[in-house]
Amino acid sequence: PSVLDSFALLSGQLNTLNKVLKHEKTPLLRNQVIIPLVLSPDRDEEIMRQTEGRVPVFSHEVVPDHLRTKPDPEVEEQEKQLVTDAARISPDVAQKQIQSLNKMCSNLLEKISKEERESESGGLRQNKQTFNPADTNALVAAVAFGKGLSNRRPPGSGASVQSGQPGAGAIIAGASGMQQVPMSGAPAQQQPMLAGVQMAQAGQPGK
């Protein structure tokens, strides 16, 4: 509430000031001249506070600079010289100079924008991830610990050995058959035995 009251008070004062300044009997401020009434070489704390520490004293040295309405004589002479030099140039020459200057500025802007695009694209290429961490972890686990690898053998591995040694081939085939042949009706413990018997009868082992 205190802030709102202060704001309302300031708003009312500003509206009153605007009405006074817009009144037809109020003279124009641009026609008024500011005259320093007191000049002192001593430090003035009020001026320091109002100027935020930029002007410590209001003396005869700083008054001409702060109350100046025209540039320095040297700057004024340089400005007159530039104006006379510009008046000597024909419109065609001035237009050519303007075009050349615009071309130089456009080329410079293109180079700057190209450098910015290249730097941004380079940063994106550096920050872009080129691998999948999940796949990398899966490969490391498979190589180091055998995680996720299948114990199954190809179907033709037992048949190739069976031609040379029938008994050994039947045993190997029976071992592979224990892992490959599922039986839906039998329990889990009986499936390897039944598969081994069936493969042994097919190979006709000696035992």
Side-chain angles (χ1 to χ4, degrees):
S2 61
V3 174
L4 292 176
D5 293 340
S6 301
F7 181 79
L9 179 61
L10 289 174
S11 178
Q13 291 179 353
L14 287 174
N15 289 330
T16 304
L17 182 60
N18 285 329
K19 288 180 181 179
V20 171
L21 292 176
K22 290 179 180 178
H23 197 270
E24 57 183 7
K25 294 184 178 179
T26 303
L28 294 177
L29 293 180
R30 67 170 62 99
N31 296 331
Q32 304 297 319
V33 179
I34 299 176
I35 301 175
L37 300 179
V38 178
L39 296 179
S40 174
D42 299 332
R43 182 184 180 90
D44 193 343
E45 297 297 334
E46 183 66 19
I47 292 178
M48 280 282 292
R49 185 181 61 81
Q50 291 180 357
T51 59
E52 298 178 354
R54 293 188 297 270
V55 182
V57 294
F58 199 64
S59 62
H60 64 282
E61 295 180 357
V62 299
V63 165
D65 295 331
H66 290 285
L67 300 182
R68 184 189 301 275
T69 57
K70 294 178 64 177
D72 292 335
E74 295 83 3
V75 177
E76 195 171 0
E77 290 295 330
Q78 292 179 1
E79 187 176 357
K80 288 181 180 178
Q81 185 67 29
L82 291 175
V83 170
T84 53
D85 292 342
R88 294 175 184 172
I89 300 176
S90 62
D92 296 336
V93 176
Q95 190 66 28
K96 290 180 180 179
Q97 291 181 358
I98 292 172
Q99 291 177 358
S100 62
L101 181 60
N102 290 335
K103 187 176 180 181
M104 291 172 61
C105 293
S106 61
N107 292 335
L108 184 60
L109 289 175
E110 287 179 1
K111 289 182 180 180
I112 293 173
S113 60
K114 184 178 179 182
E115 291 292 335
E116 290 179 352
R117 288 195 300 268
E118 289 179 356
S119 62
E120 290 178 358
S121 62
L124 291 176
R125 283 197 299 269
Q126 291 178 0
N127 296 330
K128 188 177 180 180
Q129 194 172 8
T130 58
F131 65 94
N132 190 356
D135 293 344
T136 304
N137 294 332
L139 287 173
V140 171
V143 172
F145 307 107
K147 184 178 179 181
L149 298 180
S150 176
N151 294 327
R152 296 182 180 180
R153 294 186 179 181
S157 61
S160 61
V161 182
Q162 199 172 12
S163 61
Q165 296 178 355
I171 294 171
I172 296 174
S176 63
M178 285 191 294
Q179 297 174 358
Q180 292 181 358
V181 178
M183 296 184 69
S184 60
Q189 296 178 355
Q190 295 179 0
Q191 289 180 5
M193 293 298 295
L194 294 173
V197 171
Q198 290 176 1
M199 295 302 294
Q201 290 178 359
Q204 296 179 359
K207 185 175 180 181

mmCIF file of all heavy atoms in Angstrom, residues 43-57:
data_model
loop_
_atom_site.group_PDB
_atom_site.id
_atom_site.type_symbol
_atom_site.label_atom_id
_atom_site.label_comp_id
_atom_site.label_asym_id
_atom_site.label_seq_id
_atom_site.Cartn_x
_atom_site.Cartn_y
_atom_site.Cartn_z
ATOM 1 N N ARG A 43 33.991 20.614 -2.857
ATOM 2 C CA ARG A 43 33.217 19.431 -3.203
ATOM 3 C C ARG A 43 31.772 19.612 -2.750
ATOM 4 O O ARG A 43 31.503 20.009 -1.612
ATOM 5 C CB ARG A 43 33.837 18.201 -2.533
ATOM 6 C CG ARG A 43 33.159 16.877 -2.858
ATOM 7 C CD ARG A 43 33.810 15.764 -2.063
ATOM 8 N NE ARG A 43 33.202 14.478 -2.322
ATOM 9 C CZ ARG A 43 33.588 13.656 -3.265
ATOM 10 N NH1 ARG A 43 34.620 13.974 -4.040
ATOM 11 N NH2 ARG A 43 32.985 12.499 -3.447
ATOM 12 N N ASP A 44 30.842 19.320 -3.679
ATOM 13 C CA ASP A 44 29.416 19.474 -3.391
ATOM 14 C C ASP A 44 28.775 18.089 -3.379
ATOM 15 O O ASP A 44 28.684 17.404 -4.408
ATOM 16 C CB ASP A 44 28.755 20.361 -4.448
ATOM 17 C CG ASP A 44 27.370 20.818 -4.022
ATOM 18 O OD1 ASP A 44 26.810 20.194 -3.097
ATOM 19 O OD2 ASP A 44 26.847 21.770 -4.624
ATOM 20 N N GLU A 45 28.306 17.662 -2.199
ATOM 21 C CA GLU A 45 27.722 16.333 -2.059
ATOM 22 C C GLU A 45 26.376 16.234 -2.785
ATOM 23 O O GLU A 45 26.026 15.179 -3.302
ATOM 24 C CB GLU A 45 27.549 15.990 -0.576
ATOM 25 C CG GLU A 45 28.860 15.904 0.201
ATOM 26 C CD GLU A 45 29.753 14.787 -0.302
ATOM 27 O OE1 GLU A 45 29.225 13.808 -0.875
ATOM 28 O OE2 GLU A 45 30.979 14.886 -0.136
ATOM 29 N N GLU A 46 25.627 17.297 -2.833
ATOM 30 C CA GLU A 46 24.328 17.279 -3.513
ATOM 31 C C GLU A 46 24.508 17.068 -5.014
ATOM 32 O O GLU A 46 23.780 16.276 -5.648
ATOM 33 C CB GLU A 46 23.578 18.584 -3.232
ATOM 34 C CG GLU A 46 22.190 18.641 -3.831
ATOM 35 C CD GLU A 46 21.243 17.639 -3.196
ATOM 36 O OE1 GLU A 46 21.522 17.155 -2.075
ATOM 37 O OE2 GLU A 46 20.216 17.317 -3.837
ATOM 38 N N ILE A 47 25.495 17.748 -5.595
ATOM 39 C CA ILE A 47 25.768 17.560 -7.024
ATOM 40 C C ILE A 47 26.310 16.144 -7.280
ATOM 41 O O ILE A 47 25.980 15.504 -8.282
ATOM 42 C CB ILE A 47 26.756 18.629 -7.523
ATOM 43 C CG1 ILE A 47 26.095 20.001 -7.498
ATOM 44 C CG2 ILE A 47 27.240 18.309 -8.927
ATOM 45 C CD1 ILE A 47 26.995 21.126 -7.935
ATOM 46 N N MET A 48 27.131 15.652 -6.357
ATOM 47 C CA MET A 48 27.623 14.274 -6.495
ATOM 48 C C MET A 48 26.459 13.284 -6.504
ATOM 49 O O MET A 48 26.439 12.324 -7.281
ATOM 50 C CB MET A 48 28.561 13.964 -5.324
ATOM 51 C CG MET A 48 29.971 14.521 -5.491
ATOM 52 S SD MET A 48 30.971 13.536 -6.615
ATOM 53 C CE MET A 48 31.142 12.034 -5.651
ATOM 54 N N ARG A 49 25.485 13.512 -5.646
ATOM 55 C CA ARG A 49 24.349 12.596 -5.582
ATOM 56 C C ARG A 49 23.480 12.695 -6.826
ATOM 57 O O ARG A 49 23.038 11.689 -7.370
ATOM 58 C CB ARG A 49 23.523 12.897 -4.330
ATOM 59 C CG ARG A 49 22.374 11.933 -4.089
ATOM 60 C CD ARG A 49 21.601 12.322 -2.840
ATOM 61 N NE ARG A 49 21.019 13.655 -2.980
ATOM 62 C CZ ARG A 49 19.886 13.898 -3.637
ATOM 63 N NH1 ARG A 49 19.224 12.918 -4.224
ATOM 64 N NH2 ARG A 49 19.427 15.122 -3.706
ATOM 65 N N GLN A 50 23.246 13.915 -7.304
ATOM 66 C CA GLN A 50 22.390 14.098 -8.470
ATOM 67 C C GLN A 50 23.046 13.590 -9.755
ATOM 68 O O GLN A 50 22.350 13.106 -10.655
ATOM 69 C CB GLN A 50 22.023 15.574 -8.615
ATOM 70 C CG GLN A 50 21.104 16.095 -7.524
ATOM 71 C CD GLN A 50 20.762 17.562 -7.710
ATOM 72 O OE1 GLN A 50 21.254 18.209 -8.636
ATOM 73 N NE2 GLN A 50 19.919 18.102 -6.816
ATOM 74 N N THR A 51 24.343 13.725 -9.856
ATOM 75 C CA THR A 51 25.058 13.271 -11.063
ATOM 76 C C THR A 51 25.639 11.874 -10.913
ATOM 77 O O THR A 51 26.401 11.433 -11.783
ATOM 78 C CB THR A 51 26.195 14.247 -11.394
ATOM 79 O OG1 THR A 51 27.099 14.322 -10.276
ATOM 80 C CG2 THR A 51 25.651 15.637 -11.680
ATOM 81 N N GLU A 52 25.273 11.152 -9.832
ATOM 82 C CA GLU A 52 25.738 9.782 -9.590
ATOM 83 C C GLU A 52 27.264 9.704 -9.557
ATOM 84 O O GLU A 52 27.878 8.768 -10.081
ATOM 85 C CB GLU A 52 25.181 8.821 -10.649
ATOM 86 C CG GLU A 52 23.657 8.746 -10.637
ATOM 87 C CD GLU A 52 23.131 7.836 -11.712
ATOM 88 O OE1 GLU A 52 23.944 7.343 -12.538
ATOM 89 O OE2 GLU A 52 21.908 7.606 -11.738
ATOM 90 N N GLY A 53 27.893 10.713 -8.960
ATOM 91 C CA GLY A 53 29.335 10.701 -8.763
ATOM 92 C C GLY A 53 30.160 11.164 -9.949
ATOM 93 O O GLY A 53 31.391 11.062 -9.919
ATOM 94 N N ARG A 54 29.509 11.664 -11.001
ATOM 95 C CA ARG A 54 30.269 12.094 -12.183
ATOM 96 C C ARG A 54 30.852 13.496 -12.035
ATOM 97 O O ARG A 54 31.927 13.780 -12.559
ATOM 98 C CB ARG A 54 29.373 12.025 -13.423
ATOM 99 C CG ARG A 54 28.975 10.614 -13.830
ATOM 100 C CD ARG A 54 28.268 10.634 -15.166
ATOM 101 N NE ARG A 54 27.026 11.382 -15.105
ATOM 102 C CZ ARG A 54 25.851 10.846 -14.795
ATOM 103 N NH1 ARG A 54 25.766 9.575 -14.485
ATOM 104 N NH2 ARG A 54 24.765 11.587 -14.780
ATOM 105 N N VAL A 55 30.152 14.382 -11.348
ATOM 106 C CA VAL A 55 30.602 15.770 -11.184
ATOM 107 C C VAL A 55 30.778 16.035 -9.699
ATOM 108 O O VAL A 55 29.797 16.210 -8.968
ATOM 109 C CB VAL A 55 29.591 16.758 -11.795
ATOM 110 C CG1 VAL A 55 30.119 18.185 -11.656
ATOM 111 C CG2 VAL A 55 29.315 16.424 -13.242
ATOM 112 N N PRO A 56 32.010 16.068 -9.222
ATOM 113 C CA PRO A 56 32.194 16.315 -7.779
ATOM 114 C C PRO A 56 32.053 17.781 -7.398
ATOM 115 O O PRO A 56 31.590 18.108 -6.302
ATOM 116 C CB PRO A 56 33.611 15.799 -7.518
ATOM 117 C CG PRO A 56 34.311 15.950 -8.833
ATOM 118 C CD PRO A 56 33.271 15.733 -9.887
ATOM 119 N N VAL A 57 32.469 18.696 -8.291
ATOM 120 C CA VAL A 57 32.421 20.132 -7.968
ATOM 121 C C VAL A 57 31.762 20.867 -9.127
ATOM 122 O O VAL A 57 31.720 20.379 -10.268
ATOM 123 C CB VAL A 57 33.839 20.711 -7.725
ATOM 124 C CG1 VAL A 57 34.454 20.092 -6.491
ATOM 125 C CG2 VAL A 57 34.728 20.498 -8.935
#
